[in-house]
Amino acid sequence: MRIRTRTALTAATVGAALLAVPACSGEGAMDRFARAAEAEADREAGTAEETDDDAAELVTDEEPDAWALYEAGVRELAEAESVRYTASGLDEGSALHTDIQSDRDGTCVATVETEYDGAVEIRKSGDEVWIAGDQLFWETAGTGALGRLLVGKFLYSTADDPDVAELAALCDAEELLGEISLDELTGDPEVTGRDEHDGVDVFELDVIDDTGELAVILITAEAPHHILRIELPEDPDEIVLGFGDYNVPVDFTRPSADDTLDIAELEAGIDV
């Protein structure tokens, strides 16, 4: 049985919604950005390496160092053991929203909702994967008559199963964080204001990439400097990314046996 998801519910599309700027291939983009940012900071400051004390002193009564603040925010995201990230916007005209909490060990809870393709919940622990969709999701996925039996149930499989690999990939924190190609943002970040975001004191930074696209980034004013929001105001898909729950354990609950159907058992008895 193959779960044939349409565009809005594929890992590629949702992953694209999590990109602030065009993606890179090869080595993790966050790693490359960290090195590039460190090199630039070293060149400007004339120092060999930024220390934790330096990072703690980025914000003073005077204008903060925008590049150092930006670098610190990206480093906190790149090195987080776990993070919650959301994305909202449009995919081929369909409203899209994702909410994913994931850690480096492969534990994850996620929801993906689209206007035309339904909603799906994903839970993952190690290599084990559970997927629960609404009726529209299963219809869109191409499961035929079996889809009606799956509503209200979790479909169980493993991450190496090609039938669910696309959805399981959404829970890969290493891959998704590495895909956020902040290293391609060129030019100097500019601090454009200081405000509150969900009750937290933040700086607003404008950064323009090498294509001229503007990203507006909110970073906490107090150390550790966490990126909380990235908005692409000029993007036609109206992409807005949110980040939070840095290094907070993932709130994972294993679905009960009564609520679970094993995809291997279904495939053994049903050809859909």
Side-chain angles (χ1 to χ4, degrees):
M1 179 183 68
R2 171 76 62 173
I3 298 174
R4 296 182 291 274
T5 55
R6 292 199 324 193
T7 55
L9 291 178
T10 64
T13 298
V14 179
L18 294 171
L19 307 185
V21 292
C24 291
S25 59
E27 176 189 19
M30 299 297 281
D31 294 333
R32 290 198 304 277
F33 177 83
R35 286 204 310 276
E38 287 169 0
E40 179 68 11
D42 292 347
R43 182 185 65 78
E44 292 182 354
T47 182
E49 188 175 42
E50 182 184 271
T51 65
D52 291 340
D53 289 341
D54 292 333
E57 295 173 358
L58 290 177
V59 179
T60 66
D61 292 336
E62 301 177 355
E63 186 76 4
D65 183 327
W67 183 265
L69 184 64
Y70 181 51
E71 176 193 7
V74 173
R75 181 180 293 112
E76 288 292 333
L77 183 58
E79 296 179 353
E81 289 301 314
S82 64
V83 69
R84 181 179 182 182
Y85 37 99
T86 62
S88 62
L90 300 175
D91 178 74
E92 298 183 351
S94 175
L96 167 72
H97 179 75
T98 68
D99 188 337
I100 303 171
Q101 188 182 19
S102 182
D103 66 21
R104 304 284 184 178
D105 295 327
T107 306
C108 170
V109 292
T111 57
V112 181
E113 302 177 33
T114 66
E115 183 179 1
Y116 301 139
D117 291 326
V120 59
E121 178 183 353
I122 307 160
R123 300 186 193 181
K124 184 173 179 290
S125 178
D127 290 329
E128 296 183 288
V129 182
W130 295 262
I131 297 170
D134 63 9
Q135 183 170 339
L136 179 57
F137 168 77
W138 290 121
E139 291 174 357
T140 304
T143 55
L146 179 61
R148 291 190 292 272
L149 302 176
L150 298 176
V151 176
K153 297 287 187 178
F154 280 92
L155 190 61
Y156 171 81
S157 190
T158 55
D160 59 355
D161 181 348
D163 288 342
V164 301
E166 289 180 344
L167 291 174
L170 296 177
C171 282
D172 190 337
E174 294 280 357
E175 179 177 341
L176 286 174
L177 293 179
E179 288 278 343
I180 301 174
S181 306
L182 296 178
D183 61 327
E184 290 194 1
L185 290 173
T186 58
D188 293 329
E190 177 186 0
V191 176
T192 58
R194 185 167 184 168
D195 205 342
E196 281 195 359
H197 175 71
D198 292 338
V200 179
D201 191 17
V202 297
F203 283 107
E204 181 176 300
L205 277 69
D206 283 0
V207 188
I208 300 176
D209 72 7
D210 54 4
T211 69
E213 184 175 23
L214 171 66
V216 179
I217 302 175
L218 301 184
I219 301 180
T220 56
E222 301 297 328
H225 301 288
H226 289 158
I227 293 176
L228 299 184
R229 191 173 190 267
I230 301 175
E231 180 179 0
L232 306 181
E234 300 168 354
D235 189 285
D237 291 329
E238 304 173 7
I239 299 298
V240 178
L241 313 176
F243 300 90
D245 291 345
Y246 283 74
N247 302 310
V248 174
V250 176
D251 185 14
F252 171 84
T253 301
R254 185 184 184 95
S256 69
D258 291 340
D259 293 332
T260 302
L261 297 173
D262 192 317
I263 192 171
E265 295 177 1
L266 292 175
E267 287 179 330
I270 302 176
D271 184 16
V272 177

